[in-house]
Amino acid sequence: MIIKFLKNNFALIASFLASLILSGIIILLLGENPFRIFGIFISSAFGSWNNIAYTLFFATPLIFTGLSVAVCFRCGLFNIGAEGQLYMGAFACAYVGFTFADFPGYLLIPLSILFSIGAGGFIGLIPGYLKAKTGAHEVIVTIMLNFIAIGFTGYFVSGPFKNPGDLIPQTQLISESAHIPKIGELFGILGIKSSIPLNFSFIIAVFICLLVYFIFKYTTFGYEIKAVGLNKKAASASGINVNRIIILTFVLGGAIAGLVGVNEVMGYRYRFLDGFSAGYGYLGIAVALLGRNHPAGVFISAVIFGAVMRGGLLVDVYSDKISKDFVYIIQGILILFVVSGELWNKFRIQIDAEKQR
Amino acid sequence: MELFDIGILTSTIRLSTPLILCAIGGLYSERGGVVNIALEGLLLFGAFSAAVVAYYTGNPWLGLLAGAVTGVFIAFLHGLVSITFLGDQIVSGMGINILALGVPAVFSGAFFNTPSSTPSIEKILPSLNIPVIEDIPLLGEILSGYTVPVYLSYAAVIITYFVLFYTIFGLRLRAVGENPKAAESLGVNVIRYKYYGVLLSGLLAGIGGAFLSVGHGTQFIKNMSAGRGYIALAALIFGKWHPFKTLLACLIFGFADALQMRLQGVIGIPVQFIQMIPYILTILVIVGFIGKAVPPAASGVPYRKG
Amino acid sequence: MKPCIRLKKISKRFGSVLANDDVNLTVYSGEIHSIVGGNGAGKTTLMNILYGLVKPDSGEIFINGEKTDIRSSKNAISKDIGMIHQDFLFIENMDAVDNIILGKEPLKMGIVDKKKAKKKIKNLSEKYHLSFDVDKNISELSMGERQRIEIVKVLYRNAKILILDEPTAVLTPQEVKELFNILRALKKGGSTIIFISHKLKEVLEISDRISIMRSGRMVKTLSAKDAELKDLAVKMIGGELPEIEEKHYQGDEKVLVSVDNLSLKSKDGKKILKDISFEIKSGEIFGIAGIEGNGQKELEECLTGNLIYDSGSITVECAILWDISSKYFKDNGVSRIPSNRNELGLISGFKLYENLILGYINDKPFSNFCLLNYNEINKECKKIVKDYDIEPPDIYQLTENLSGGNQQKVVIGREFSKEPLFLIAAHPTRGVDIKGSWFIHKKLRENREKGSAVLLISSDLEELFTLCDRIGVIYNGEIVDIVKPENITFDEIGVLMLSGLTSFR
């Protein structure tokens, strides 16, 4: 069982180890002890329940964006637009939160969540529609749409919806009835401090993982997504409306990315802040890639990336030679290794040949 | 303050320079069939290494050289991953862009203890005045008095046009990007030409980056490219992968950038809307509302030999 | 005459298929040598080996008496070998000159000397009467012009040995005539030509000698003077006349499917299908015989709702199929075994069970309100796997890991088990071994007995004769005759397929 797992995921594991070694060498070059640094990474990410909570907090947006990319990948579509989708989702969420401030929580919370989903889905609809109707390549359209969506939200918070009196572009605070609880408040037993920003949206993220798994495995829609992703011609010949599936998949992907807004706005900052995303949308591509587009894989790789982000913060504190931007280096190296499929194939063939001798 | 004066023209020319260098670089890569969204990262790598070398040697020319060399090296990584190891070109480019967020910051932190910027350089690239032209009123002001990379960018456009359409190299590069199988069947070494295209994109984007830190500015600042690599990509598409049309697109986008800086807080049009212009135009052209942009037929497809 | 090419004991295996099996071939210099054979006979593989595109597993190549190792097309070009590929290899949005000179560009002071290139091309095209517009992009040129450019491309490299792979497949009869004049002129100029085709009439017209291949083996080489059409056809197809079953048609007289005046034009206005009309009764197998490329592929696409035809109608059980979409056709009882199963019939990255419900996913009992019912799916899939003897019988394995024959059974099992009203089977036994073919035939008969109307498109006459109640012969997009197998000989129908002339009978 374990051997089979290792064999099936050879490229991933090899990439992981190679990235670890290369990062270690860079740490050494920077004049630090790699073992000490990796030690800080691991202990600060997983050392205690509180640390794990921090890691999961960083993982939450990555679960959403990773799933968003993975859903589209399954359909043979490349969603680089999660970044724009999540900005729109977050803004819509905040908008509802401060506009309908006198709504009670049981109304406002679902409404806010619905708006993040809707706004993200709408931004996802555009590349899907354009792909289906004109064949416009979704990669270029989503890259451009990111800047357009971020431009719009940037305009909103520096213009009409800017919180008066603030120096930085951000909206006013959302109504308290739209706040979702922190995990520390929900599960007191684990002793997680309620100051740790991990919140209910993590549970939503886990739920969406399960939902995506369910869609993939148990619905005709999931079946049709897979068919279109693997072979458009055969799918079409079998009676599947390929264009409809492309559009719906992109909307679903956008909607999931929009949920990042729930974590950011309803669970963490309680307002929309311009430029809040640390490239979550782009990292989602790496998360999906590393997670092999499987919901469980996405969850695990989001946690790994979250741990790297969490560890990076503490490394920044405990080492004067390595700043928190080191996280980007680890992520970049990992992406490049994972995507070099043929490199590992060559390795594998060589190993197999050695064995047969 | 006047909205339209000579100042806005000269700043248009300055602001479009990194776009032109980047877009023309991207043109080589994409004409050879390798999609290059790593331009943004190449700019940052070029800018950082140029600033560092110029700071330590006190020589901005060495900085420029360092930017170019670094660009080529990073582009080689993109080539290695996407050409030799048949990795997805988009993901590989994304990986390099993410790397470019980290490497400069970490290393400038290690070198100078300031992760968000490098120290100011005392000597940046000198401005060159063109004899005769500089004396013509108005025109002299617009055309003369820039740093070398500015002139280089226009030279690059003209040379690229010539190379692409009149030399063996250009013919083969285009053939490889359109139909590698046909090129291979006539004895053209497809892999080699793909590498040439990618490396040239690194060279030019690296110079573009160096311009940002040792020509236009005086130091490297974190994320100083500010999406220019993506705008260059947009210009390349808007210019339909043709050198002169791409130049025109870069100038339009550079003008939008200059205008946006000028308008900051002046009149009613929000700057964000002006910043969006390149992206909206690109979507329109990709959809087919303004002509139709058709990329090289085999771009984005890893080429497996045999 | 001295031999200029000798291939000795060439073998090549692709997976489970032996494409070339100890093939020997000698071509004399200055002759036009044809290689004929059905689909999958191994002609193209053999030529790809000679041109360095495919590496043989074993065997030797001698060129002008010298043992030569051809590792790439570059090697072949340097040995003066040129190949004109079946699907032309062009850079579509470059002009003819650029396409021709690519890889061997004349230079003048570092610049590509297009003037000189044009002059050389003009000389070549005048010498051999190869006319085309040098300045237009390839995408704007006709198929005939493209082919002439391919020939110039080869001549430009001073090739003395020209390989033409199915050159007439895409040409109109007039263009074929022109091509033959060019080939004769080339021969006169001292070139050696290897001509690959399965159109026997053409082969007899143009060749000096003819080699026949079948299932990867070289059957015979003979002089064109000694060859006869009938004899060639029999050797090419396999010789033995099929046994015709005593009792064919068993159903009632109810007409289940009728196709009326179906017509289709290509984008450039060429008629692909001309007024196709036929009826199929319940419990009848109707065959479509013809040389490949005479409209069968398009007919298949039209009849399944995948291609929008220009005029005509298709009626299944009294209902005219008015909405041309694969889903609507399927819902009205049309089912098919596509000719290209890997492209259209199944999704090779799917697990086996997913392919076994492809196209029926929204039907009860497989799904209910968009939710898959795995119990029913498993039950159905296991039944198909058992009934159709799919090996290995694990429904959770990846389909691409199955052998070609078993993949075919997946498609057949899925479609047959639904007992469709109208079943279209296109080349159902292509690439399937004898045992598998026998099994598929058995299942086809079973479907007929259950009352389906079956349309069998095949290029295998043996298959058509064994199974069909009636056979329509298609030639140039037209059904030239509808015959009963018991009233026509194997030879007669062969001639009909090759010439479309009913007067032969």
Side-chain angles (χ1 to χ4, degrees):
Chain A
M1 178 70 179
I2 293 169
I3 290 171
K4 198 182 159 200
F5 176 82
L6 291 177
K7 244 186 167 172
N8 287 342
N9 295 288
F10 172 77
L12 284 183
I13 292 157
S15 303
F16 204 76
L17 291 177
S19 309
L20 216 59
I21 293 168
L22 193 54
S23 311
I25 293 171
I26 294 172
I27 293 170
L28 211 58
L29 284 177
L30 290 166
E32 267 288 1
N33 178 353
F35 294 104
R36 189 176 92 88
I37 298 297
F38 287 138
I40 296 174
F41 263 106
I42 291 167
S43 67
S44 60
F46 300 111
S48 67
W49 280 114
N50 282 327
N51 281 324
I52 291 174
Y54 264 116
T55 295
L56 295 181
F57 168 69
F58 285 109
T60 304
L62 296 177
I63 295 172
F64 288 130
T65 56
L67 284 176
S68 166
V69 175
V71 164
C72 293
F73 255 140
R74 181 97 165 174
C75 193
L77 301 165
F78 211 142
N79 180 16
I80 306 193
E83 189 77 3
Q85 292 148 15
L86 71 89
Y87 266 97
M88 273 297 182
F91 182 81
C93 183
Y95 176 80
V96 173
F98 62 72
T99 306
F100 304 105
D102 42 0
F103 278 30
Y106 59 84
L107 260 181
L108 194 53
I109 289 178
L111 194 68
S112 302
I113 295 177
L114 221 58
F115 261 70
S116 354
I117 293 174
F122 173 72
I123 298 296
L125 169 73
I126 298 170
Y129 180 82
L130 293 179
K131 169 100 181 177
K133 295 296 159 182
T134 71
H137 202 293
E138 77 277 7
V139 166
I140 294 162
V141 175
T142 49
I143 289 178
M144 301 302 147
L145 266 179
N146 280 341
F147 291 102
I148 294 172
I150 293 167
F152 266 107
T153 54
Y155 161 68
F156 291 150
V157 290
S158 55
F161 300 105
K162 186 167 189 279
N163 195 28
D166 281 354
L167 285 175
I168 45 171
Q170 60 184 12
T171 62
Q172 62 192 92
L173 288 168
I174 59 170
S175 157
E176 241 173 74
S177 54
H179 292 194
I180 50 174
K182 296 266 191 316
I183 294 293
E185 296 161 8
L186 280 177
F187 304 98
I189 333 155
L190 297 173
I192 296 171
K193 281 187 257 168
S194 58
S195 61
I196 291 172
L198 181 68
N199 58 67
F200 186 73
S201 64
F202 173 71
I203 293 170
I204 299 179
V206 174
F207 171 74
I208 299 289
C209 273
L210 295 172
L211 180 71
V212 168
Y213 179 76
F214 180 80
I215 291 175
F216 281 178
K217 181 103 200 253
Y218 292 103
T219 67
T220 54
F221 178 48
Y223 176 93
E224 289 173 336
I225 289 177
K226 188 177 176 188
V228 171
L230 287 171
N231 185 337
K232 283 192 182 54
K233 270 189 182 169
S236 170
S238 84
I240 294 172
N241 185 339
V242 172
N243 283 342
R244 188 175 144 259
I245 298 296
I246 286 176
I247 294 173
L248 284 178
T249 306
F250 240 122
V251 170
L252 177 65
I256 295 174
L259 279 169
V260 172
V262 175
N263 179 51
E264 169 72 18
V265 176
M266 295 165 73
Y268 176 44
R269 238 185 280 263
Y270 305 125
R271 57 162 36 123
F272 178 89
L273 170 72
D274 196 26
F276 74 85
S277 164
Y280 296 131
Y282 300 113
L283 285 175
I285 298 166
V287 170
L289 193 72
L290 195 65
R292 291 183 129 195
N293 300 319
H294 189 285
V298 166
F299 181 85
I300 294 168
S301 71
V303 170
I304 292 172
F305 273 81
V308 171
M309 288 171 97
R310 163 68 182 160
L313 283 180
L314 285 232
V315 166
D316 200 45
V317 174
Y318 289 119
S319 161
D320 50 356
K321 297 199 180 76
I322 291 175
S323 63
K324 68 174 192 303
D325 298 298
F326 191 74
V327 169
Y328 291 120
I329 299 185
I330 300 180
Q331 288 166 345
I333 291 173
L334 192 56
I335 292 171
L336 291 179
F337 272 122
V338 173
V339 80
S340 298
E342 200 66 4
L343 172 69
W344 307 117
N345 275 348
K346 275 176 190 155
F347 254 95
R348 200 181 202 157
I349 290 163
Q350 252 169 22
I351 293 170
D352 285 350
E354 296 276 330
K355 261 190 211 157
Q356 289 194 344
R357 233 175 265 163
Chain B
M1 187 167 58
E2 285 270 342
L3 258 189
F4 295 94
D5 54 13
I6 291 177
I8 205 162
L9 289 181
T10 53
S11 65
T12 295
I13 288 177
R14 284 206 184 88
L15 288 170
S16 33
T17 296
L19 297 183
I20 298 169
L21 287 166
C22 239
I24 295 296
L27 189 144
Y28 280 106
S29 175
E30 302 219 343
R31 281 285 191 162
V34 181
V35 173
N36 198 342
I37 67 164
L39 293 173
E40 179 79 4
L42 291 168
L43 269 182
L44 285 171
F45 271 109
F48 176 69
S49 59
V52 171
V53 170
Y55 175 78
Y56 278 122
T57 62
N59 187 338
W61 298 104
L62 287 178
L64 187 65
L65 185 69
V69 171
T70 310
V72 171
F73 175 72
I74 300 297
F76 174 74
L77 279 186
H78 182 47
L80 201 63
V81 172
S82 63
I83 302 171
T84 304
F85 298 141
L86 305 175
D88 186 282
Q89 297 165 6
I90 309 280
V91 176
S92 166
M94 196 61 79
I96 283 173
N97 286 343
I98 289 177
L99 213 52
L101 295 177
V103 172
V106 168
F107 280 78
S108 79
F111 292 157
F112 312 110
N113 253 323
T114 49
S116 54
S117 66
T118 61
S120 263
I121 306 154
E122 285 176 15
K123 243 173 80 185
I124 61 161
L125 292 173
S127 300
L128 293 185
N129 289 322
I130 311 172
V132 189
I133 291 181
E134 64 168 319
D135 299 327
I136 307 171
L138 228 70
L139 208 63
E141 230 177 306
I142 298 169
L143 295 182
S144 180
Y146 300 103
T147 55
V148 164
V150 177
Y151 301 115
L152 210 58
S153 67
Y154 291 90
V157 173
I158 296 165
I159 293 170
T160 299
Y161 173 76
F162 175 78
V163 164
L164 207 56
F165 297 111
Y166 293 98
T167 66
I168 291 184
F169 176 82
L171 178 64
R172 293 185 181 179
L173 185 72
R174 284 186 289 136
V176 164
E178 291 284 344
N179 188 345
K181 233 173 130 190
E184 182 92 53
S185 85
L186 295 177
V188 175
N189 189 330
V190 172
I191 303 292
R192 189 187 298 165
Y193 275 87
K194 278 181 178 287
Y195 263 106
Y196 286 153
V198 171
L199 295 185
L200 277 169
S201 77
L203 179 78
L204 289 170
I207 293 174
F211 170 77
L212 288 176
S213 64
V214 303
H216 191 59
T218 59
Q219 61 180 159
F220 172 83
I221 304 168
K222 191 178 170 183
N223 210 5
M224 74 185 308
S225 58
R228 285 197 177 84
Y230 291 110
I231 299 188
L233 191 70
L236 182 59
I237 298 160
F238 193 64
K240 295 173 187 170
W241 294 271
H242 186 282
F244 291 141
K245 289 178 193 163
T246 301
L247 169 67
L248 191 68
C250 288
L251 287 172
I252 294 171
F253 296 173
F255 178 72
D257 200 11
L259 196 64
Q260 167 268 123
M261 287 191 170
R262 183 64 66 89
L263 288 180
Q264 218 127 101
V266 179
I267 56 161
I269 310 170
V271 288
Q272 286 88 357
F273 290 167
I274 299 172
Q275 285 170 334
M276 273 180 221
I277 291 173
Y279 309 117
I280 292 173
L281 285 177
T282 304
I283 289 184
L284 292 180
V285 81
I286 216 70
V287 170
F289 283 156
I290 318 173
K292 180 94 189 160
V294 184
S299 72
V301 188
Y303 181 68
R304 196 181 285 271
K305 205 173 167 241
Chain C
M1 280 203 287
K2 65 176 196 315
C4 85
I5 295 172
R6 272 186 65 196
L7 302 179
K8 257 177 109 175
K9 296 198 153 214
I10 301 279
S11 290
K12 175 73 194 176
R13 179 181 282 279
F14 293 112
S16 60
V17 182
L18 198 53
N20 280 166
D21 184 4
D22 261 346
V23 174
N24 292 310
L25 175 72
T26 306
V27 178
Y28 294 123
S29 65
E31 73 168 339
I32 298 181
H33 191 119
S34 291
I35 301 177
V36 299
N39 256 305
K43 303 164 292 189
T44 302
T45 304
L46 190 65
M47 289 305 110
N48 281 341
I49 288 171
L50 180 57
Y51 192 60
L53 294 175
V54 171
K55 209 175 150 266
D57 296 335
S58 62
E60 295 172 324
I61 299 172
F62 295 88
I63 292 176
N64 296 323
E66 217 176 294
K67 185 166 183 287
T68 314
D69 198 11
I70 298 179
R71 271 159 297 143
S72 70
S73 50
K74 214 171 176 175
N75 285 156
I77 294 168
S78 73
K79 296 284 168 201
D80 292 342
I81 301 175
M83 180 154 174
I84 289 128
H85 302 271
Q86 188 173 356
D87 38 351
F88 307 138
L89 279 175
F90 280 121
I91 292 128
E92 297 249 341
N93 55 15
M94 284 191 186
D95 64 21
V97 178
D98 283 344
N99 266 288
I100 292 167
I101 64 177
L102 182 65
K104 196 171 180 260
E105 306 87 347
L107 269 188
K108 195 168 133 191
M109 298 192 305
I111 303 172
V112 176
D113 191 349
K114 265 196 139 173
K115 229 183 209 168
K116 192 173 155 197
K118 260 188 203 172
K119 209 167 148 196
K120 190 171 171 192
I121 291 165
K122 215 166 206 173
N123 281 343
L124 280 174
S125 59
E126 269 166 19
K127 190 170 166 193
Y128 298 107
H129 311 290
L130 295 150
S131 64
F132 54 86
D133 192 334
V134 285
D135 295 317
K136 270 195 185 152
N137 275 358
I138 298 293
S139 52
E140 298 166 47
L141 299 174
S142 75
M143 284 299 165
E145 282 176 300
R146 289 183 198 204
Q147 184 160 62
R148 293 196 279 276
I149 294 169
E150 280 277 18
I151 294 173
V152 173
K153 209 160 137 183
V154 167
L155 295 176
Y156 178 84
R157 286 168 176 71
N158 300 320
K160 292 281 177 303
I161 303 160
L162 276 69
I163 306 166
L164 291 95
D165 191 2
E166 305 269 3
T168 57
V170 291
L171 301 183
T172 63
Q174 291 80 0
E175 285 173 328
V176 170
K177 215 171 262 170
E178 277 172 50
L179 175 69
F180 283 0
N181 287 333
I182 293 161
L183 294 185
R184 288 192 190 101
L186 284 169
K187 182 184 159 188
K188 216 182 245 169
S191 299
T192 306
I193 292 161
I194 303 178
F195 182 89
I196 298 176
S197 180
H198 55 218
K199 298 189 181 172
L200 298 179
K201 242 170 81 181
E202 291 171 357
V203 165
L204 281 171
E205 190 186 331
I206 189 74
S207 321
D208 295 309
R209 291 197 308 149
I210 301 167
S211 291
I212 304 154
M213 285 186 81
R214 193 177 68 231
S215 335
R217 292 205 188 86
M218 188 60 79
V219 180
K220 197 179 177 165
T221 299
L222 69 174
S223 160
K225 277 177 288 181
D226 310 332
E228 249 184 281
L229 192 67
K230 286 180 193 172
D231 184 39
L232 277 181
V234 169
K235 282 208 171 70
M236 184 171 136
I237 291 161
E240 298 147 45
L241 282 165
E243 279 176 42
I244 299 168
E245 271 199 4
E246 284 291 308
K247 227 172 120 194
H248 265 93
Y249 175 60
Q250 296 173 332
D252 43 33
E253 287 296 317
K254 188 176 145 205
V255 173
L256 206 53
V257 173
S258 86
V259 174
D260 297 297
N261 296 315
L262 198 71
S263 290
L264 177 74
K265 274 185 198 158
S266 68
K267 268 187 198 145
D268 48 7
K270 220 173 106 184
K271 279 189 178 172
I272 298 172
L273 296 177
K274 295 173 207 158
D275 289 332
I276 302 258
S277 297
F278 56 83
E279 284 177 344
I280 310 176
K281 295 179 190 107
S282 164
E284 186 186 30
I285 299 182
F286 183 81
I288 295 283
I291 303 292
E292 206 134 319
N294 277 292
Q296 295 96 319
K297 178 87 198 134
E298 290 79 5
L299 182 64
E300 177 195 336
E301 296 291 313
C302 284
L303 292 178
T304 49
N306 283 296
L307 197 60
I308 296 173
Y309 38 88
D310 297 319
S311 61
S313 69
I314 301 165
T315 313
V316 175
E317 209 181 28
C318 305
I320 291 181
L321 303 183
W322 52 270
D323 175 18
I324 305 177
S325 78
S326 54
K327 183 160 189 344
Y328 181 78
F329 274 49
K330 218 175 196 119
D331 290 345
N332 279 280
V334 181
S335 167
R336 76 153 156 178
I337 314 299
S339 51
N340 187 348
R341 63 173 170 268
N342 284 327
E343 201 184 322
L344 296 174
L346 47 76
I347 295 174
S348 55
F350 257 1
K351 294 202 170 119
L352 179 52
Y353 78 89
E354 290 172 312
N355 268 318
L356 286 172
I357 51 175
L358 182 64
Y360 301 96
I361 182 83
N362 286 309
D363 297 352
K364 281 185 183 170
F366 301 141
S367 71
N368 236 334
F369 297 114
C370 300
L371 294 183
L372 298 174
N373 184 341
Y374 273 99
N375 274 338
E376 291 294 332
I377 291 172
N378 281 345
K379 225 196 290 170
E380 167 81 1
C381 291
K382 283 192 177 133
K383 186 171 177 292
I384 297 176
V385 165
K386 193 163 158 263
D387 288 355
Y388 289 83
D389 205 13
I390 296 168
E391 284 289 332
D394 171 13
I395 63 170
Y396 296 107
Q397 68 189 316
L398 274 181
T399 313
E400 62 195 5
N401 294 340
L402 290 173
S403 72
N406 278 299
Q407 288 188 12
Q408 183 78 325
K409 283 189 201 162
V410 171
V411 182
I412 286 170
R414 180 183 70 213
E415 300 300 332
F416 283 18
S417 60
K418 306 294 177 296
E419 295 178 14
L421 290 171
F422 181 24
L423 177 62
I424 298 153
H427 310 284
T429 57
R430 176 178 291 167
V432 178
D433 61 7
I434 295 175
K435 206 179 136 220
S437 303
W438 177 84
F439 182 79
I440 289 165
H441 288 170
K442 191 178 116 197
K443 290 288 174 186
L444 261 173
R445 286 202 190 93
E446 281 176 18
N447 243 274
R448 160 173 64 192
E449 272 145 35
K450 284 174 188 157
S452 293
V454 181
L455 180 79
L456 176 64
I457 300 173
S458 178
S459 49
D460 182 348
L461 279 180
E462 222 176 297
E463 178 169 271
L464 289 167
F465 269 61
T466 329
L467 292 171
C468 295
D469 303 292
R470 290 180 303 142
I471 300 173
V473 180
I474 192 166
Y475 180 78
N476 249 335
E478 212 170 342
I479 296 212
V480 289
D481 204 355
I482 294 178
V483 297
K484 286 196 169 177
E486 53 268 38
N487 299 339
I488 191 166
T489 67
F490 209 55
D491 301 348
E492 281 169 341
I493 199 167
V495 173
L496 206 54
M497 280 160 58
L498 292 162
S499 66
L501 298 174
T502 42
S503 57
F504 245 92
R505 293 174 63 202

